[in-house]
Amino acid sequence: MFLEKIALITGAAGGLGQVLASKLGADGWQLIVVSRQAARLKAAFGEAHLQIEADCSTPAGVRQLFAAIKASQMQPSALAHCVGNIRLGALHRMTEDDFNDCLSANLVSAFHTLAGFVGGLREARSPGAAIFVSSAAARIGTPNHEAVAAAKAGLEGLVRGAATTYAGAGIRVNAVAPGIMETPAAAGIIGSPTAREAAARQYPLPGIGDPAELAELMAWLLSERAARVTGQVWSMDGGFSSIRPLVK
C-alpha cells in the first residue's frame, strides 16, 4: 500500500522546520506541523496545514501526537524530526538538568517519535521515510560540546539501527549533520560579529550554513529519488568533520 504524500514535521515552528515546511509544501506534500507551543505554529503558518501541539520528548506526548493524527484520518509517509537544542558547556560546569534537557530534546524525542511513526506505517502496511538532524559535533571533538555530541552520536546510532530493523518493510531512516546554521537556535553562538566571524572561519569552506540548503537535502532524502538510500548520515558542514584547511 502506498500512501498520499503526507509529511510530518516536528519542531516545525523553529527556523529549520519552517524552511523545510515551505520546501515540502512547494514539492506537493500535505503537511502535519508539530510544536510544543500552538501559538508558535499559528504565528509561523497561520491557518495552513494540520497543526498539532505536542511534546515529542515523552511517550505520553508522542501518543497524544499520533492519536491526533489518526483522528484526522491522515497517515504520514514521511517524518522530518527537527526537534533539538544546543546545550554548550564543559562537563564539569553542566548541570544535571541541562544535560537531561539536551538528551531529551536531541535523542529521547527522536526515539519516541520514530517509534510512533514506524508503528503507523506498519499498521498501514506502507513504506515510508524518516529524516533526523544530527550535528558535526557527533563526528569530531569540539570544545564544550560534550552533551550535544553525546546526544547526537546516540541519534546517529538510532538511525543506523532503525534503518536495519525496518529496511525489509520499505521504511528508510537517514540523518543530516550540519555545522552552525543561520537559525534562532544558533543565535547565542553567533550573536556578535566577532563570534560570527570566528565561527565562519573554522570551516574548510568558510561561512555559516543556510537552512534552505539543508532543507533541500532533507527533502531529497524523503523523496522517491532517494529510494535506495537508508542508514546514512549526510554531512553538510563545510568539510569540518572530515578535512582540514590548508594553513597559510
Side-chain angles (χ1 to χ4, degrees):
M1 175 182 176
F2 287 85
L3 304 178
E4 297 179 78
K5 285 182 64 172
I6 300 173
L8 168 63
I9 305 176
T10 57
L16 176 59
Q18 290 188 49
V19 173
L20 181 59
S22 178
K23 169 60 180 171
L24 292 178
D27 288 348
W29 291 84
Q30 297 180 60
L31 301 181
I32 304 168
V33 291
V34 183
S35 172
R36 290 186 296 181
Q37 297 175 296
R40 292 188 65 201
L41 290 173
K42 183 81 169 178
F45 302 109
E47 300 298 326
H49 317 310
L50 173 61
Q51 301 178 19
I52 300 176
E53 181 180 24
D55 182 356
C56 297
S57 67
T58 68
V62 170
R63 285 195 297 270
Q64 172 195 338
L65 167 60
F66 284 95
I69 291 173
K70 191 169 186 178
S72 73
Q73 298 186 326
M74 297 176 74
Q75 173 56 57
S77 58
L79 165 65
H81 188 68
C82 299
V83 173
N85 66 21
I86 303 173
R87 282 285 188 273
L88 301 184
L91 283 172
H92 68 281
R93 288 197 298 266
M94 181 160 291
T95 67
E96 181 179 356
D97 285 345
D98 277 349
F99 178 62
N100 288 335
D101 184 54
C102 183
L103 287 181
S104 179
N106 293 293
L107 177 57
V108 175
S109 69
F111 183 94
H112 293 310
T113 305
L114 182 57
F117 174 68
V118 165
L121 288 178
R122 288 176 63 80
E123 185 177 334
R125 299 181 182 275
S126 172
I131 187 72
F132 293 88
V133 183
S134 183
S135 167
R139 295 192 163 194
I140 186 168
T142 308
N144 300 313
H145 282 64
E146 291 92 324
V148 71
K152 294 298 192 181
L155 171 64
E156 294 188 6
L158 171 65
V159 164
R160 287 186 288 269
T164 305
T165 300
Y166 300 109
I171 299 171
R172 301 184 298 106
V173 187
N174 293 289
V176 292
I180 297 173
M181 291 191 300
E182 195 74 66
T183 64
I189 302 173
I190 56 174
S192 71
T194 300
R196 173 181 291 273
E197 182 182 355
R201 282 202 315 265
Q202 71 183 323
Y203 300 106
L205 295 175
I208 303 299
D210 182 349
E213 295 177 351
L214 190 68
E216 288 277 354
L217 176 57
M218 295 171 74
W220 179 77
L221 286 166
L222 290 175
S223 75
E224 293 181 357
R225 291 170 294 169
R228 296 285 296 165
V229 181
T230 195
Q232 305 301 308
V233 179
W234 291 63
S235 292
M236 187 176 277
D237 60 7
F240 182 75
S241 62
S242 57
I243 63 175
R244 292 291 174 271
L246 179 64
V247 177
K248 297 182 180 179

